[in-house]
């Protein structure tokens, strides 16, 4: 699914397939679904998140999930649009693709070319018509405004947490961010999601005010780029055992935005279009580099770990440009980990931990 802020205005419970694949991986249950998908002919070179979703969705009763009533996606990812076609065919449900226009200017921020905003706004209006047709409801404008107000509460609280992470010692670490990113992905527009994030913000603020860090002796601050290794979240603990804290990861910014400004409940579709078009992966890599610059400065980063999911061009691109830029401008070294973020079959935890130990020793 995509656009939970809009979908929730129809009282639909959205379900994000990528997030669920991460859950399956973290629980150690993903391999059987990958093997099912591969046995049906889906290539192992394709996106692992979507292969797992295909295996899980097409498995029948074994999947133990309600059948979908409809499927919606955007073209923001190379794989999503085509990966969901077999699921729509299998369940015989309506499928709608929202076409996201590319952001072609460097760090253009909210000043995106107006014809792109208008095009995407029309895409959103067409999606709403699709939802009205398939739910038998007419969108309530006040319900949409309320969804956007709740989404803003969620995002504002998350922005506060980001600022608190600049404190030394850092009051929140990598594992907590994994949990929070799931909330950002799935619960934007939901009051419970906003309540959860505000409570997390308040707890992080209390820890920061007490000077309570993730570890007692914080020696190094690490910025994590790319997705998490879902089946080995204990990797964050290994950094902490070595005196390093993963103070930030960038994946959340796919859902919260950074250049496009805040959502406007009184102008929901235009503000959403600007925010979504301007997100960091939707455009030239110079925008992503500028974002990494901000995080390195704001969070006083000592080293960068770039988790390169080799199946994903969207997440894995620009690694050399980022590595060279951060080294040249800030003297911050980058370690690249080439693994699959949800498929553990080609992963060697001992080798990865050994490389991390060497990297942290180099920082010292």
């Amino acid at each position: 699914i995509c656009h939970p802020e809009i979908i929730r205005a129809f009282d639909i419970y959205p379900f994000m397939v990528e997030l669920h694949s991460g859950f399956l991986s973290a629980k150690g249950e993903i391999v059987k679904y990958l093997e099912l998908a591969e046995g049906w002919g889906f290539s192992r070179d394709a996106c692992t998140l979507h292969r797992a979703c295909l295996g899980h969705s097409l498995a029948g009763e074994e999947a133990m999930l309600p059948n979908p009533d409809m499927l919606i996606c955007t073209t923001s990812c190379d794989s999503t649009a085509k990966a969901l076609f077999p699921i729509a065919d299998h369940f015989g449900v309506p499928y709608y693709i929202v076409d996201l226009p590319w952001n072609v200017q460097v760090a253009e921020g909210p000043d995106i070319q107006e014809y792109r905003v208008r095009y995407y706004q029309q895409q959103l209006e067409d999606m709403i018509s699709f939802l009205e047709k398939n739910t038998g409801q007419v969108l309530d404008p006040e319900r949409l405004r309320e969804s956007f107000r709740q989404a803003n509460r969620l995002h504002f609280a998350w922005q506060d947490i980001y600022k608190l992470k600049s404190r030394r010692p850092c009051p929140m670490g990598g594992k907590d961010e994994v949990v929070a990113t799931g909330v950002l992905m799935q619960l934007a527009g939901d009051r419970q999601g906003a309540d959860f994030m505000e409570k997390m913000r308040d707890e992080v603020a209390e820890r920061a005010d007490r000077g309570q860090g993730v570890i007692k002796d914080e020696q190094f601050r690490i910025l994590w780029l790319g997705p998490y290794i879902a089946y080995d979240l204990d990797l964050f603990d290994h950094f902490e055992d070595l005196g390093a804290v993963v103070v930030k990861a960038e994946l959340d910014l796919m859902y919260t935005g950074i250049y496009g400004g805040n959502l406007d409940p009184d102008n929901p579709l235009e503000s959403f279009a600007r925010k979504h078009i301007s997100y960091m992966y939707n455009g030239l890599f110079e925008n992503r580099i500028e974002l990494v610059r901000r995080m390195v400065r704001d969070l006083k980063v000592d080293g960068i770990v770039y988790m390169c999911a080799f199946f994903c061009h969207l997440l894995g691109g620009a690694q050399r440009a980022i590595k060279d830029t951060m080294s040249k401008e800030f003297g911050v070294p980058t370690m690249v980990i080439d693994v699959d973020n949800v498929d553990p079959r080609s992963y060697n935890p001992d080798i990865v931990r050994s490389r991390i130990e060497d990297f942290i020793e180099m920082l010292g």
Side-chain angles (χ1 to χ4, degrees), residues 53-68:
C53 173
L54 287 164
H56 196 253
S57 298
L58 306 183
E61 293 183 2
E62 184 183 358
M64 297 184 68
L65 283 173
N67 293 346

Side-chain angles (χ1 to χ4, degrees), residues 3-254:
H3 307 337
E5 299 93 330
I6 298 173
I7 292 172
R8 286 187 183 280
F10 287 88
D11 293 321
I12 296 173
Y13 292 96
F15 175 81
M16 184 167 284
V17 298
E18 293 87 353
L19 179 62
H20 190 63
S21 295
F23 285 153
L24 290 173
S25 180
K27 292 169 63 179
E29 298 177 2
I30 198 169
V31 171
K32 60 183 176 182
Y33 298 115
L34 292 172
E35 291 176 344
L36 280 173
E38 291 156 10
W40 293 325
F42 296 104
S43 172
R44 193 167 176 176
D45 293 329
C47 172
T48 317
L49 293 166
H50 295 138
R51 258 187 298 127
C53 173
L54 287 164
H56 196 253
S57 298
L58 306 183
E61 293 183 2
E62 184 183 358
M64 297 184 68
L65 283 173
N67 293 346
D69 296 303
M70 65 189 76
L71 296 169
I72 299 175
C73 81
T74 70
T75 56
S76 56
C77 167
D78 293 343
S79 172
T80 305
K82 290 187 177 180
L84 296 188
F85 271 117
I87 299 175
D89 290 343
H90 176 76
F91 291 111
V93 297
Y95 180 29
Y96 193 82
I97 300 175
V98 185
D99 184 28
L100 176 67
W102 199 243
N103 185 5
V104 298
Q105 297 185 23
V106 176
E108 63 183 69
D111 298 323
I112 301 164
Q113 293 157 313
E114 287 303 311
Y115 77 91
R116 297 177 187 273
V117 176
R118 291 195 301 273
Y119 173 79
Y120 197 55
Q121 187 173 349
Q122 183 61 56
Q123 291 283 301
L124 298 174
E125 291 171 357
D126 292 345
M127 184 187 78
I128 289 171
S129 297
F130 168 85
L131 290 167
E132 290 179 332
K133 176 183 177 181
N134 286 282
T135 63
Q137 302 179 48
V138 176
L139 177 64
D140 180 352
E142 178 53 35
R143 180 68 182 84
L144 183 62
R145 285 192 288 270
E146 175 61 17
S147 179
F148 273 51
R149 284 192 285 267
Q150 297 304 324
N152 275 339
R153 285 182 58 209
L154 178 80
H155 296 154
F156 293 160
W158 187 243
Q159 290 172 20
D160 292 340
I161 291 172
Y162 173 80
K163 295 174 184 176
L164 289 165
K165 286 185 174 187
S166 66
R167 305 274 191 95
R168 195 167 195 137
C170 183
M172 176 176 166
K175 276 190 175 179
D176 289 331
E177 183 147 330
V178 172
V179 174
T181 300
V183 175
L184 293 165
M185 293 170 69
Q186 193 71 34
L187 295 178
D190 181 85
R191 182 179 296 274
Q192 288 184 325
D195 289 346
F196 172 91
M197 197 61 71
E198 288 179 349
K199 289 179 181 178
M200 176 175 272
R201 185 266 319 278
D202 294 344
E203 180 180 340
V204 174
E206 289 176 5
R207 291 170 61 90
D209 290 343
R210 292 197 303 265
Q212 181 180 353
V214 178
I215 57 177
K216 291 183 178 180
D217 184 17
E218 178 185 297
Q219 300 177 50
F220 307 107
R221 299 167 66 88
I222 304 298
L223 172 63
W224 184 284
L225 303 182
Y228 311 111
I229 303 176
Y231 47 84
D232 191 7
L233 295 178
D234 289 341
L235 206 59
F236 293 116
D237 297 332
H238 191 61
F239 279 100
E240 294 167 11
D241 291 340
L242 299 170
V245 176
V246 176
V247 297
K248 186 76 191 79
E250 67 168 356
L251 197 62
D252 62 291
L253 297 169
M254 293 182 69

Side-chain angles (χ1 to χ4, degrees), residues 284-347:
L284 305 178
F285 72 84
E286 287 89 347
N287 291 332
R288 189 179 179 195
I289 290 176
E290 175 56 27
L291 178 55
V292 176
R293 284 191 184 103
R294 292 190 194 187
M295 291 188 288
V296 168
R297 287 193 297 259
D298 291 347
L299 302 171
K300 307 171 185 66
V301 168
D302 301 301
I304 297 172
V305 174
Y306 195 129
M307 190 283 182
C308 182
F310 46 72
F311 65 83
C312 183
H313 300 158
L314 190 68
L315 296 176
Q319 59 176 285
R320 181 58 186 268
I322 290 174
K323 182 176 182 178
D324 290 348
T325 302
M326 296 308 115
S327 176
K328 179 180 178 180
E329 295 185 7
F330 300 99
V332 172
T334 300
M335 170 190 172
V336 178
I337 303 175
D338 291 294
V339 296
D340 191 301
N341 62 307
V342 295
D343 184 354
R345 289 176 292 179
S346 59
Y347 180 72

